[in-house]
Amino acid sequence: MSTSVCVVGSINMDLVVRAERFARPGETLLGGAFEVHPGGKGANQAVAASRMGAQVSLVGCLGDDDWGSKLRGVLAGEGIDIQRVRTCEKEHTGIGFVTVVPSGENSIVVASGANWRCTPEDIEEASGIIAEADVLLLQAEIPFETNRRAIEIALKSNTVILLNAAPAEGLSTDILRDVDLLVVNRDEAATLVGDDEREVAPTGLARRLASFGPDRVVITLGAEGAIHFNGQEMKSFEAFPVDCVDSTGAGDAFVGALATMRAEGERLKDSVRYGCAAGALASSVAGAISSLPTRDAVESLIRKAIPAAT
Ligand code: ADP
């Protein structure tokens, strides 16, 4: 069975410093431990889908620097097809500058670099891969017109279009029109429908989002699980109980697992459960890529939660 997922998206190196608190404007603060981790929503979700057993191709851009070479090695080591990852001359790889404080909260500024040089021409070069994929998986860390071109190709070839509209700030809702499945967290849902909607319940947000065009909407709710709306029925999914250590990567684990199960032709209801299990496991381990679970781990959590006889 073909279970191919084509991810078009960002690839970053995250430079992380631990500090007692966030620096104030104008202040230089001496921090603690320094760590370097692969990241970017495109790369994270590609790894998440690959660990779930999908055949994954990644389309994106890296800079012509050491970070880019290191990231190529990491992605290839995960079994991801990176033939359509282009190296941009005279450009740096996308870098996330991350500060983490003792409560586990973080603040991140991204220097997009090569990610913002990913153009509709890059998509043209990858059109065969997109057309043959079962699922096209997009986020919002590359230019809008690049995602738009990928959607046009997927529409012509009946490839399922899954958009994780993150980050949602500044994103036009026009992009939602042709999407089969939209996945957002609660904050992103509120941002997309408008700031005055922050108080609206998730079910109300899902209805509003569906009115922009996607066939199905999934809103992830952290430790409260997720909801799914198919234009008629609203369904809630409980979170799997785990000890949350660091929720970084939970959303990417959820989306990668959901995309893989949809590529395998699973019903959306079952696919969302896989997503919830993957997200729960990711939140129980520190880091982003380091916390993304394998298919075995996800299925074992699902088996523990549902007695085999029922
Ligand atoms: P994001 O990282 O994009 O903000 P969420 O925090 O909503 O996404 O997490 C995605 C999914 O991961 C949730 O729908 C939920 O199923 C699972 N998850 C996240 N945090 C926890 C948690 N503390 N306990 C159990 N499951 C969690």
Side-chain angles (χ1 to χ4, degrees):
M1 185 182 23
S2 147
T3 58
S4 58
V5 175
C6 176
V7 182
V8 174
S10 57
I11 315 167
N12 290 340
M13 199 59 106
D14 288 339
L15 309 187
V16 184
V17 62
R18 292 183 185 273
E20 279 308 305
R21 58 178 173 80
F22 295 114
R24 285 189 289 269
E27 182 188 28
T28 299
L29 185 67
L30 295 183
F34 173 63
E35 290 157 26
V36 179
H37 299 292
K41 290 182 197 297
N44 289 348
Q45 292 178 15
V47 173
S50 182
R51 288 190 190 166
M52 285 297 293
Q55 205 183 304
V56 180
S57 306
L58 178 59
V59 182
C61 289
L62 290 166
D64 60 350
D65 50 21
D66 285 351
W67 302 124
S69 316
K70 286 204 173 78
L71 283 161
R72 271 186 193 278
V74 170
L75 294 166
E78 293 283 342
I80 294 165
D81 175 357
I82 52 167
Q83 279 184 61
R84 291 290 156 219
V85 172
R86 180 167 66 88
T87 298
C88 300
E89 279 177 29
K90 298 193 184 129
E91 184 59 273
H92 67 81
T93 293
I95 302 286
F97 296 91
V98 186
T99 305
V100 182
V101 296
S103 67
E105 270 184 302
N106 60 29
S107 82
I108 308 174
V109 178
V110 175
S112 294
N115 293 310
W116 222 249
R117 299 260 303 266
C118 185
T119 62
E121 288 72 47
D122 289 304
I123 301 302
E124 247 17 278
E125 299 278 324
S127 56
I129 298 175
I130 296 171
E132 276 167 30
D134 297 297
V135 171
L136 168 69
L137 176 52
L138 303 169
Q139 314 78 31
E141 290 187 329
I142 60 169
F144 180 88
E145 62 273 17
T146 306
N147 273 342
R148 187 67 240 160
R149 186 71 196 113
I151 289 174
E152 283 164 11
I153 292 168
L155 279 173
K156 282 201 193 124
S157 51
N158 288 327
T159 301
V160 172
I161 302 163
L162 196 169
L163 172 68
N164 174 221
E169 196 69 48
L171 191 67
S172 160
T173 50
D174 286 357
I175 192 106
L176 307 183
R177 199 180 52 228
D178 298 315
V179 163
D180 294 302
L181 177 54
L182 170 69
V183 182
V184 280
N185 68 19
R186 198 189 186 300
D187 267 1
E188 289 149 4
T191 302
L192 279 173
V193 300
D195 270 342
D196 51 335
E197 307 281 349
R198 297 246 163 232
E199 299 310 314
V200 176
T203 50
L205 292 171
R207 285 179 199 284
R208 287 287 310 279
L209 289 171
S211 74
F212 294 120
D215 291 343
R216 293 151 183 268
V217 175
V218 172
I219 303 184
T220 65
L221 302 167
E224 286 161 44
I227 57 167
H228 162 233
F229 182 57
N230 65 6
Q232 288 170 336
E233 240 182 295
M234 191 77 67
K235 187 159 174 41
S236 297
F237 297 82
E238 275 181 29
F240 288 81
V242 289
D243 288 329
C244 177
V245 172
D246 169 9
S247 64
T248 315
D252 292 331
F254 181 100
V255 172
L258 183 64
T260 303
M261 300 322 290
R262 289 303 277 166
E264 288 186 16
E266 275 296 335
R267 290 180 309 174
L268 192 63
K269 185 166 121 271
D270 297 319
S271 305
V272 173
R273 266 188 81 69
Y274 268 77
C276 285
L281 289 168
S283 77
S284 68
V285 177
I289 282 188
S290 53
S291 75
L292 298 171
T294 60
R295 175 80 168 236
D296 282 352
V298 168
E299 290 186 339
S300 135
L301 182 62
I302 291 174
R303 272 198 304 276
K304 264 192 245 155
I306 316 173
T310 59

